[in-house]
Amino acid sequence: MKNLVLAIALGSIAIANPVSSAFAAPAPCENVLKDVRAAEAAAKLSDADKTKVSELETKGIERCNADDDKRADEFFAQAMKIMGK
């Protein structure tokens, strides 16, 4: 009987708690794109870095339009890294 009560209690806790952050949904790519554009406007980049950031932004927008927020956010994160953000 104790095992049954314990199993039910643990099951209830597992269901009631949100999924860990490792499995959290990616941020909406539209919001991340706004951050990238704001950082890009303020950043002082070399021509090569500007080109790379622009390419990553374009790839991210393509993935965002395809509703692939996770991949879009990855491209945007790479662009932010180049800009030192």
Side-chain angles (χ1 to χ4, degrees):
M1 186 68 175
K2 288 181 184 180
N3 288 340
L4 179 60
V5 171
L6 181 60
I8 292 172
L10 290 175
S12 297
I13 291 170
I15 291 171
N17 286 333
V19 178
S20 71
S21 62
F23 298 106
C29 57
E30 296 84 3
N31 295 344
V32 180
L33 178 58
K34 288 177 189 175
D35 295 339
V36 169
R37 287 182 172 161
E40 188 176 8
K44 296 188 187 315
L45 302 170
S46 67
D47 289 340
D49 285 344
K50 284 181 186 178
T51 301
K52 188 64 178 168
V53 167
S54 179
E55 290 171 0
L56 290 166
E57 184 178 342
T58 300
K59 289 178 182 180
I61 291 169
E62 288 173 3
R63 294 306 338 145
C64 189
N65 290 337
D67 290 330
D68 185 2
D69 286 2
K70 182 180 179 197
R71 291 276 298 156
D73 290 351
E74 290 172 5
F75 287 123
F76 295 148
Q78 291 174 25
M80 293 291 273
K81 185 175 180 182
I82 291 171
M83 293 185 282
K85 303 290 177 187

